[in-house]
Amino acid sequence: EYTTYVHLIRALAEQLGHVLVLGLGGGSLPKEFLADYPEVRVDAVEIDPEVVQIARKYFELPTTSRFRVVVADAREFLSRTRRKYDFIMVDAYLTDDRGRLLIPPHLATEEFFRAAAQRLTPTGWLGYNLTATLSGPDSAITGALLRTMAEAFPYRGAFDMNEDVNLVLFANRHTPLPAGRALRQRVAELLDSGALKRAGIRDCLKHYHRSQLPKSELVLRDPGDEVLKLMGCTD
């Protein structure tokens, strides 16, 4: 379901030419973007070469000049690439020995967000798939992540997925996120023109939040120890 929410970037971004996805998994998001937006090129970065092999063998990763998969750590990739992207989507997770999904700590710190900001075009956007909530006990990591993002991205918003413990965050350095009415109008225009093909995206707009986001004074910094504490990891 979360990939439908990510397509809202088509309505948010001024242009969407080159996209970077950090974390490949089965490749659902790159495949959707390549299929829906013929003008878009996608780079995907995945740390685990076995994941890439599985995705190619079982999940029909496209073979096209518009799609590139790089086996690397996301931070290392950001530090060495000179490319600029219109949209960077963070979709990377670890699994602990109890099967819990954990944010890679070094992809949730101030240093990471500053590195990502350097790889965006002047009108670029950052997206972040986060297993957390806007309220309750699981909102502590959300608040800290949003506060940390603010060090590099002054404008932020969130979409929550009904009762799922899942959020998609969007942020940029240049423009306040639009009001709900303006975003609904933009989505309707794109759907009518055929530039946006995900009809179910209208339902996502019911879960849009620009204000009353969880607050925190905690800025997460390398090496990411505070990230682990917020996720309940003590070792």
Side-chain angles (χ1 to χ4, degrees):
E1 181 187 11
Y2 88 94
T3 61
T4 301
Y5 284 79
V6 179
H7 282 269
L8 285 162
I9 191 60
R10 185 66 182 82
L12 292 169
E14 182 176 312
Q15 62 181 21
L16 198 62
H18 205 171
V19 171
L20 174 63
V21 179
L22 302 180
L24 177 67
S28 296
L29 189 59
K31 286 189 291 185
E32 290 181 7
F33 271 55
L34 290 166
D36 284 13
Y37 315 121
E39 74 281 9
V40 167
R41 293 176 294 150
V42 179
D43 291 346
V45 177
E46 170 57 51
I47 194 171
D48 188 342
E50 189 172 3
V51 169
V52 178
Q53 293 171 11
I54 291 169
R56 291 194 190 282
K57 185 174 182 179
Y58 297 106
F59 294 92
E60 300 179 350
L61 284 186
T63 302
T64 168
S65 61
R66 296 167 50 220
F67 183 44
R68 180 175 71 130
V69 179
V70 179
V71 177
D73 174 83
R75 280 281 292 270
E76 292 180 3
F77 176 83
L78 289 175
S79 71
R80 70 172 188 250
T81 186
R82 300 275 67 87
R83 298 191 182 198
K84 296 276 188 172
Y85 295 92
D86 300 303
F87 179 46
I88 296 176
M89 181 66 201
V90 186
D91 193 21
Y93 273 89
L94 305 172
T95 305
D96 69 5
D97 54 9
R98 288 183 282 175
R100 296 181 305 170
L101 289 176
L102 304 177
I103 305 168
H106 67 310
L107 304 187
T109 62
E110 177 185 350
E111 292 84 353
F112 166 72
F113 289 118
R114 291 193 184 280
Q118 290 298 311
R119 305 290 14 113
L120 287 170
T121 62
T123 58
W125 286 73
L126 178 80
Y128 207 107
N129 182 35
L130 178 64
T131 300
T133 58
L134 293 176
S135 60
D138 287 328
S139 66
I141 183 66
T142 308
L145 195 69
L146 286 166
R147 173 65 186 86
T148 305
M149 264 188 196
E151 296 297 302
F153 297 96
Y155 306 112
R156 300 165 307 287
F159 292 84
D160 64 324
M161 299 183 197
N162 297 320
E163 296 180 1
D164 282 352
V165 184
N166 210 158
L167 303 168
V168 174
L169 311 178
F170 289 103
N172 71 64
R173 296 171 292 166
H174 49 82
T175 309
L177 273 74
R181 178 179 295 182
L183 184 57
R184 288 193 297 273
Q185 181 177 346
R186 175 65 174 156
V187 166
E189 291 170 353
L190 291 170
L191 287 169
D192 289 344
S193 70
L196 190 55
K197 299 176 175 60
R198 307 271 156 180
I201 208 165
R202 294 181 190 273
D203 291 333
C204 301
L205 299 174
K206 302 173 185 175
H207 308 286
Y208 178 38
H209 305 269
R210 287 193 310 162
S211 59
Q212 297 181 333
L213 297 170
K215 306 294 184 184
S216 176
E217 295 302 317
L218 178 61
V219 176
L220 304 167
R221 295 190 171 92
D222 285 346
D225 295 342
E226 291 293 341
V227 182
L228 293 171
K229 288 180 183 177
L230 286 169
M231 291 187 293
C233 303
T234 57
D235 54 354

